[in-house]
């Protein structure tokens, strides 16, 4: 990999925004010192000591064929100065064949050249559209909750208030068994994502409490302790529980999660509650330090539920869980007080996927357990598959083109949504990346380009406003119907909760809009968000189980849903064979250029962030003086150039790009060992990958994160590639959750 292999040097700063003069605009601060010096000399009317050939081999000409692999020379030659390279002076340069370029040609970047070849020619797991599909996690057609032993009050509440009429298959299996066998067995509930596992443990617990026909209230003590791996999931379970028991106002739930004030949690515990729901660390903290929680649990506690068991283990909560179980076991049960409740503690473990971690937790937490699974294989090693109705798509995209292909994908989804004349509907898309820094970069890249947005919730939600042209389907005159969100573990708990709430609720701001959330795996587990039409995995997950959980945010409870997985050409292509067993209904393999970029970028005019071209260059107009329409690949290239220009011109954005890139590479090194053969940091083309963060080259010459605008970057002793590998190795040794949360 050469230093500047296919890296672009021919772009200008966004002087539009700054309103600067030509000279100021040419003050490019990024790039290598040689390039900056050459540019400075040029501006001062001096020429460089060494004349280079003026050939422009490999550069793209609008409408010309893609290809060519001689980017290196081109970029060096084109490093003269931003305005000039794309301006009229350079228009008579030669192309690869020595042909004089037409006067109205523009030089555009080499986004489409020097990319690694895609070797997968045939889809080995074709999704057959002609096969009729029954949604695998949908409610059943004939069964009723009443026949499963659910209390009458709950049944009518479910039907009338929650619009839930029929049980799903896992609920049909779990509810009667938990009601009948509680006290004799523990339970391991294992079912697909979105199949209603939450109700499959809450309904039998609440029904058992209601069916004992003993007067209970908040002072009766806590009957169930429910532990979830993330604060978001714990809050969601708390919401579901609150909604369910709103039909019996005397029952009260209590939420204990990290990030909240312990003092107010203590006060709530003191008032009394019947269900304690929380994250492991905070629950253990209260068990060890808050006297009143033990009083709440003593005598009444009968159920302990560990939701998303594998994630609890993956996040390293095994010791915490063991400690919680030990403390809880030491609290005496008074079976005389509630004789109709189970006489001993019932442990329940829930998971959509089975990992070694779950097996370990099963051994720690469950005794004499019954497996309740709606899988085809009735053993604990059954493979969980993606919901049948999920339309999985996969696209193999060269690293340089990841960002622009993502833009195209989001653009296409929006266009399709707008075509349905949504009015009061809301569409949601979740984009998964591996680390917080990458979330920050993508969030800003897709929302903060030109200040045409409205910030909400401490700037974690941005409503795009008129004039925002970041997506190719928008023009200055259109009102963009997109709201962009970010969610990751480095945000404060308050912001995380408010952002998620805003994303999940339909309101005046979100009505008729396409809501796009950039997030880490913090949103991959258990979250039940309404109308999520698409999930995009821009970065493949750290482990295949996470893939199932991520795609499981859509196609829930029988609804339709689509997901798109981005893979890189090369070793990552083999990942498809690896995940094939999880997708028995097959997938569509999309060609990123024909099926994603072309529909998004053809027949649109991508705004140039370069006023010299737009205002003075007649070549950008057609005979009638209107803007000329370019080929889709030129539009895609221009779109990408706009991002690159922003990186150069906006030091804050540049910092986000550099941090995003570095963290992305570090996170890449933390794929689990079984999957390293597909995701090995050594296979990454760092230069090309940097481009997908809007960087001209990997952040060697950019001084990593330390350089301030206008300052010269300090030379580093260590070769940046080695440094990247060293950091990756270091990161590997650290706990993987750093990147998740
Ligand atoms: N019987 C039912 N009929 C209709 N909708 C249901 C039914 N049971 C649950 N749901 C809805 O299905 C959605 C998914 O439920 P839930 O979150 O419990 O799934 P899950 O199996 O826990 O998924 P995950 O594994 O992703 O956590 C929720 O919106 C819930 O309200």
């Amino acid at each position: 990999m050469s230093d500047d292999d296919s890296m672009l040097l021919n772009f200008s700063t966004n002087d539009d925004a700054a309103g600067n003069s030509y000279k100021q605009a040419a003050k490019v601060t990024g790039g290598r010192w040689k390039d900056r010096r050459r540019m400075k000399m040029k501006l001062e009317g001096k020429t460089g000591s060494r004349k280079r050939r003026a050939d422009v081999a490999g550069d793209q000409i609008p409408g010309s064929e893609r290809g060519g692999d001689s980017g290196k020379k081109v970029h060096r030659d084109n490093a003269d100065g931003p305005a000039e390279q794309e301006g009229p002076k350079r228009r008579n340069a030669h192309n690869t064949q020595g042909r004089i370029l037409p006067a109205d040609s523009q030089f555009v970047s080499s986004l489409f050249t020097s990319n690694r070849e895609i070797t997968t020619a045939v889809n080995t797991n074709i999704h057959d559209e002609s096969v009729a599909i029954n949604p695998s996690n949908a409610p059943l057609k004939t069964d009723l909750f009443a026949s499963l032993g659910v209390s009458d009050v709950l049944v009518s509440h479910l039907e009338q208030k929650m619009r839930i009429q029929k049980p799903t298959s896992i609920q049909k299996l779990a509810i009667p068994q938990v009601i009948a066998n509680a006290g004799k067995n523990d339970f391991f509930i294992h079912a697909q994502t979105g199949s209603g596992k939450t109700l499959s443990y809450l309904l039998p617990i609440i029904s058992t409490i209601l069916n004992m026909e003993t007067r209970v209230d908040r002072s009766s003590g806590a009957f169930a302790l429910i532990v979830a791996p993330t604060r978001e999931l714990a809050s969601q379970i708390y919401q579901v529980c609150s909604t369910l028991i709103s039909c019996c106002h005397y029952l009260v739930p209590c939420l204990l999660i990290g990030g909240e004030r312990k003092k107010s949690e203590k006060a709530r515990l003191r008032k009394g509650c019947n269900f304690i729901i929380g994250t492991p660390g905070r629950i253990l903290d209260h068990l060890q330090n808050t006297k009143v929680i033990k009083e709440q649990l003593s005598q009444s506690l009968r159920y302990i539920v560990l939701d998303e068991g594998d994630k609890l283990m993956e996040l390293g909560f095994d010791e915490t869980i063991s400690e919680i179980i030990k403390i809880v076991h030491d609290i005496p049960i008074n079976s005389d007080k509630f004789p109709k409740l189970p006489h001993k503690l019932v442990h329940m473990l829930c998971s959509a996927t089975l990992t070694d971690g779950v097996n370990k937790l099963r051994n720690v937490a469950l005794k004499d357990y019954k497996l309740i699974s709606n899988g085809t294989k009735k053993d604990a090693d059954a493979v969980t598959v993606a919901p049948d109705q999920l339309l999985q798509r996969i696209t193999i995209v060269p690293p340089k083109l990841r960002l622009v292909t993502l833009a195209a994908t989001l653009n296409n989804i929006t266009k399709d949504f707008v075509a349905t004349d949504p009015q009061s509907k809301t569409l949601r898309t979740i984009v998964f990346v591996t680390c917080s820094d990458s979330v920050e970069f993508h969030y800003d890249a897709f929302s903060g380009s030109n200040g045409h947005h409205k910030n909400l919730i401490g700037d974690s939600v941005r409503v795009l406003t008129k004039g925002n042209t970041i997506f190719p389907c928008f023009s200055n005159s259109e009102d963009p119907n997109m709201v962009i969100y970010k969610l990751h573990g480095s945000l404060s708990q308050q912001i995380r909760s408010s952002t998620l709430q805003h994303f999940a609720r339909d309101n005046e701001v979100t009505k008729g809009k396409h809501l796009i959330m950039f997030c880490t795996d913090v949103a991959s587990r258990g979250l039940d968000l309404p109308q999520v039409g698409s999930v995009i995995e821009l970065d493949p997950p750290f482990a295949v189980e996470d893939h199932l959980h991520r795609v499981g945010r859509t196609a829930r409870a029988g609804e339709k849903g689509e997901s798109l997985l981005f893979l890189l050409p090369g070793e990552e292509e083999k990942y498809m064979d690896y995940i094939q067993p999880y997708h028995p209904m097959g997938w569509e393999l999309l060609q990123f250029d024909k099926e994603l970029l072309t529909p998004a970028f053809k027949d649109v005019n991508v705004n140039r962030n370069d006023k010299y071209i737009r205002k003075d260059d007649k070549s950008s107009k057609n005979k009638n003086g209107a803007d000329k329409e370019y080929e889709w690949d030129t539009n895609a290239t221009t779109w990408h150039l706009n991002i690159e220009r922003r990186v150069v011109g906006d030091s804050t954005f540049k910092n986000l790009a550099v941090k995003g890139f570095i963290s992305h590479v570090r996170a890449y090194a933390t794929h689990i060992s079984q999957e390293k053969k597909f995701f090995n940091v050594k296979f990454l083309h760092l230069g090309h990958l940097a481009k997908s963060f809007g960087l001209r080259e990997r952040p060697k010459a950019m001084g990593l994160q330390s350089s301030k605008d206008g300052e010269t970057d300090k030379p580093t002793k260590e070769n940046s590639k080695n440094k990247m590998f060293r950091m990756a190795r270091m990161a590997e040794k650290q706990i993987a959750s750093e990147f998740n949360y």
Side-chain angles (χ1 to χ4, degrees), residues 507-522:
N507 54 39
E508 279 310 306
V509 178
T510 59
K511 224 158 63 178
K513 303 236 161 119
H514 180 197
L515 317 186
I516 300 169
M517 183 163 78
F518 292 95
C519 60
T520 58
D521 279 328
V522 76

Side-chain angles (χ1 to χ4, degrees), residues 10-11 82-88 106-107 608 610 613 641 645:
N10 59 334
F11 56 88
E84 256 187 274
Q85 289 138 21
E86 293 182 53
Q106 314 240 336
F107 295 109
R608 296 196 71 108
D610 179 345
I613 299 296
L641 270 171
R645 285 192 187 99

